[in-house]
């Protein structure tokens, strides 16, 4: 006798306001020598760190330091021969993102982006909750189909996570906000998890 199965797909979602903001900033400086350009960029980065009024200095992390000849750059931001750039990542709570941007700009830095998201533990909790909701929904669908066949749902034979990114489907971990926009307050972020489950059918 051939085993009877039913396969269902479902998506679970959890929506929450972000608890983390990350400001990506740059300290850019020019000089006539590569070493001087690097040193000037580092000095400007130090000024940006000390200018922050809402975050501790250890929350301002250097992610890259590089020096290039200005002629190698498509749009150099200095008329000096060399341009030094130190990229900074500043983590803060969403409520202070605007202050971080202002402090950075007033210190002479530039802001590339402001990104809203979740701390690791919160993100993992939301993922787990969304996955549990997806599994429960998949079983509800299977039970409805089984009743139509005058059967009952048995054990799970196979389960896999799927990647559905249509509309609000898919895992959304971050929301980007242009720092030039009128509002630096984040909107709620939806985290979605989708599954495909194969159940055995019992008489």
């Amino acid at each position: 006798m051939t085993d009877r199965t039913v396969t269902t797909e479902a998506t679970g979602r959890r929506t929450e306001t972000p608890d983390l903001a990350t400001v990506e900033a740059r300290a850019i400086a020019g000089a006539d020598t590569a070493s001087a350009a690097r040193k000037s960029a580092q000095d400007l980065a130090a000024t940006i760190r000390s200018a922050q009024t809402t975050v501790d200095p250890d929350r301002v992390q250097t992610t890259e330091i590089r020096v290039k000849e200005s002629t190698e750059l498509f749009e150099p931001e200095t008329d000096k021969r060399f341009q030094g750039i130190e990229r900074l990542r500043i983590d803060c709570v969403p409520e202070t993102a605007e202050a971080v941007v202002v402090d950075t700009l007033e210190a002479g830095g530039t802001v590339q982006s402001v990104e809203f998201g979740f701390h690791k533990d919160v993100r993992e909790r939301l993922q787990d909750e969304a996955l549990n909701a997806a599994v429960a929904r998949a079983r509800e669908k299977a039970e409805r189909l089984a009743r139509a066949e005058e059967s009952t749902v048995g054990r799970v034979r196979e389960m896999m996570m799927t990647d559905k990114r249509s509309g609000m489907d898919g895992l959304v971990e971050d929301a980007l906000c242009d720092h030039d926009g009128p509002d630096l307050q984040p909107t709620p972020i939806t985290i979605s998890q989708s599954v495909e489950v194969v159940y055995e059918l019992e008489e």
Side-chain angles (χ1 to χ4, degrees):
M1 181 177 178
T2 303
D3 290 340
R4 299 171 61 221
T5 63
V6 60
T7 302
T8 58
E9 297 182 358
T11 298
R13 300 184 178 89
R14 288 296 180 267
T15 300
E16 198 161 301
T17 301
D19 69 339
L20 174 67
T22 298
V23 179
E24 298 286 347
R26 299 185 303 170
I28 302 174
D32 293 328
T33 66
S35 60
R38 180 185 179 90
K39 178 66 165 55
S40 296
Q42 290 176 313
D43 289 345
L44 179 55
T47 299
I48 293 171
R49 280 188 177 86
S50 62
Q52 300 303 317
T53 59
T54 59
V55 297
D56 294 330
D58 61 357
R59 304 293 289 179
V60 184
Q61 301 178 353
T62 297
T63 59
E64 181 187 21
I65 301 177
R66 61 185 173 88
V67 178
K68 284 192 174 184
E69 287 199 52
S70 297
T71 55
E72 298 177 0
L73 301 172
F74 179 66
E75 291 183 346
E77 299 188 44
T78 177
D79 57 0
K80 300 294 185 179
R81 181 181 175 185
F82 292 93
Q83 178 173 293
I85 298 178
E86 181 165 345
R87 297 182 184 276
L88 303 172
R89 174 190 173 103
I90 308 172
D91 290 332
C92 61
V93 295
E95 293 77 13
T96 63
E98 185 173 358
V100 170
V101 169
V102 172
D103 290 342
T104 299
L105 296 176
E106 290 185 346
T110 61
V111 175
Q112 287 189 291
S113 67
V114 179
E115 182 178 343
F116 295 108
F118 299 110
H119 286 92
K120 183 174 182 291
D121 59 335
V122 176
R123 183 175 67 249
E124 289 178 348
R125 172 179 61 79
L126 293 173
Q127 289 173 340
D128 288 345
E129 290 177 0
L131 180 59
N132 290 337
V135 172
R137 177 61 176 156
R139 188 169 188 89
E140 289 174 3
K141 289 184 176 181
E143 290 174 345
R144 189 162 58 247
L145 293 171
R147 284 195 296 271
E149 296 291 330
E150 297 184 344
S151 302
T152 58
V153 176
R155 69 180 184 89
V156 174
R157 175 170 292 185
E158 182 180 359
M159 180 186 300
M160 67 185 72
M161 294 182 64
T162 59
D163 184 14
K164 292 183 175 298
R165 297 184 180 274
S166 173
M168 292 189 64
D169 288 338
L171 175 62
V172 182
E173 295 183 351
D174 301 312
L176 293 179
C177 175
D178 184 350
H179 68 272
D180 289 328
D183 189 3
L184 282 175
Q185 295 305 310
T187 56
I189 295 174
T190 297
I191 286 183
S192 302
Q193 300 280 48
S194 299
V195 296
E196 180 180 296
V197 189
V198 180
Y199 298 94
E200 292 184 354
L201 288 179
E202 300 175 347
E203 297 297 334

